[in-house]
Amino acid sequence: MIDWLMDNGSRVLGLAGLHVVLALASTLLGLLVALLAGMLVARAPRVSGPALAISGILFTIPSLTLFIFIPILFGTRILDPVNIVIALSVYAFALIFGGVVEALRAVPVETRQAAEAMGIGRFRMLFTVELPLAIPVIGATLRVAAVSNVSLVSVGALIGVGGLGDLFTEGFQRNYLVPIVWGILLSVLLALIVDLCIVWGERAATPWIRAGERR
């Protein structure tokens, strides 16, 4: 096991780097779109209901189907990493969007009224009051989306761009277990690191929660 990793260390490191880039790029893109869309429809029940239903449907689309159809829709090459980023951005959006909408809806009316009484405008209120209060809920859905994307990147190996997923296909093709085991272990490790980074970022962005816990 260790000997194989030492012999293939540079290749594995490159695959891990690609894996991280694909997973994080798609997660951040999905988060950005989910935030923008969520802020637009959170106060519009007639729109948010159908929008939430559509986001739920998006998550049910098989990943391999998206990987195959995105080159057709966008005219990209079948082995272009952009296909993976676009496909996984759809999943990230589907997971995070509902959390953004529900988190913004859950901001107490009294809090909004107090902000308005202080002369805070609607746009400023959104970014200085509502979104900060929504961070814990959004962070929870972001963690799920990020970890899911770390896992789903491996599926891209079936079309030739899968980061650590290449170790799975190599192992199956050669009927050799070692690269498969390392692919699993490293994928789990990456997922844990990404999850811990998001938790740290969430805690850093919500210092008032830590202050309340210390009381």
Side-chain angles (χ1 to χ4, degrees), residues 30 34 52 54-59 89-99:
L52 288 170
I54 292 172
S55 69
I57 293 172
L58 288 175
F59 193 69
S89 296
V90 172
Y91 290 122
F93 167 81
L95 285 169
I96 300 170
F97 175 67

Side-chain angles (χ1 to χ4, degrees), residues 20-32:
V20 170
V21 170
L22 294 175
L24 292 186
S26 56
T27 301
L28 292 176
L29 181 57
L31 172 64
L32 177 61

Side-chain angles (χ1 to χ4, degrees), residues 7 19 33 54-55 63 79 87 93 101 112 117-118 125 137-138 166 184 192 209:
D7 293 338
H19 201 105
V33 177
I54 292 172
S55 69
S63 57
L79 297 181
F93 167 81
V101 173
R112 294 194 180 100
M118 295 173 61
M125 185 193 305
V137 176
I138 297 174
D166 287 354
I184 293 172
L192 288 174
I209 294 180

Side-chain angles (χ1 to χ4, degrees), residues 21-144:
V21 170
L22 294 175
L24 292 186
S26 56
T27 301
L28 292 176
L29 181 57
L31 172 64
L32 177 61
V33 177
L35 286 173
L36 293 175
M39 289 186 291
L40 288 174
V41 307
R43 295 285 191 87
R46 291 184 179 180
V47 178
S48 61
L52 288 170
I54 292 172
S55 69
I57 293 172
L58 288 175
F59 193 69
T60 65
I61 302 174
S63 57
L64 190 56
T65 301
L66 278 181
F67 293 158
I68 293 172
F69 276 95
I70 282 176
I72 299 174
L73 295 175
F74 292 90
T76 55
R77 294 179 294 106
I78 189 67
L79 297 181
D80 196 327
V82 171
N83 300 329
I84 308 296
V85 173
I86 295 174
L88 297 188
S89 296
V90 172
Y91 290 122
F93 167 81
L95 285 169
I96 300 170
F97 175 67
V100 174
V101 173
E102 295 304 323
L104 292 177
R105 284 177 174 174
V107 175
V109 175
E110 296 81 2
T111 301
R112 294 194 180 100
Q113 291 174 340
E116 291 174 352
M118 295 173 61
I120 298 177
R122 180 73 188 91
F123 187 79
R124 182 184 170 194
M125 185 193 305
L126 177 62
F127 286 95
T128 62
V129 178
E130 295 176 335
L131 274 179
L133 291 176
I135 285 176
V137 176
I138 297 174
T141 57
L142 177 60
R143 291 173 65 188
V144 175

